[in-house]
Amino acid sequence: MFRKPAFRYGRGHRGADLGGSPGQAVLVAREGVVVFAGRIAGRGVVSVDHPDGLRSTYEPVTAVVVAGARLAGGDPVGTLEPGHIGCPVAACLHWGVRRERLDHLDPLVLLRPPRVRLLPWEGAPEPAEDAPDRVSPPAPAASTPAAG
């Protein structure tokens, strides 16, 4: 679960952990250019810059790409490695997204918008027969010129 830190270098969880299986293909979220593919502190990491200025990072992975590679959305970046600390299953992908250098975002919001379905509320009042089908926003208040 993503937990943005309260301040720049504060504690938090700057990504989402997605359960998987060791050796499972890890696919890039959308088109971009690989800016890093290698090991950091013993863990395989792949980072991809996207045209809109976001950077996505995938770990722990065994990379099948190299820095400079151009990727289309859904292309493989590597295979999932086991051993992610705190993972309740055999392997977890830590997926992070950031804008600029330290502005981390919840990567799950970048997936398709969730489907929202409103269900009937038992006990809700029935609409009046003369009520419009749509509700319009209130008209703007009349403005008066500022005194000079």
Side-chain angles (χ1 to χ4, degrees):
M1 171 185 287
F2 177 81
R3 285 187 312 275
K4 189 168 187 152
F7 57 94
R8 191 176 199 170
Y9 297 107
R11 295 180 66 168
H13 188 246
R14 294 164 176 85
D17 292 335
L18 308 174
S21 302
Q24 181 176 357
V26 176
L27 311 178
V28 69
R30 51 191 170 144
E31 73 172 300
V33 176
V34 177
V35 293
F36 180 82
R39 300 201 75 76
I40 297 176
R43 295 168 56 119
V45 177
V46 175
S47 293
V48 178
D49 279 353
H50 304 285
D52 60 2
L54 297 180
R55 174 176 288 182
S56 59
T57 301
Y58 310 84
E59 63 176 288
V61 299
T62 300
V64 297
V65 294
V66 296
R70 294 193 173 281
L71 303 172
D75 282 351
V77 297
T79 57
L80 187 57
E81 298 173 355
H84 181 80
I85 295 173
C87 180
V89 294
C92 285
L93 174 70
H94 178 82
W95 178 31
V97 173
R98 72 179 197 204
R99 175 181 30 231
E100 298 175 1
R101 191 156 187 264
L102 295 171
D103 186 13
H104 296 272
L105 307 173
D106 182 349
L108 299 181
V109 301
L110 301 180
L111 300 176
R112 283 187 213 112
R115 185 173 178 187
V116 176
R117 180 178 299 208
L118 299 176
L119 300 175
W121 170 41
E122 288 187 35
E126 292 293 322
E129 289 196 24
D130 61 344
D133 289 339
R134 297 174 48 163
V135 176
S136 299
S143 61
T144 56

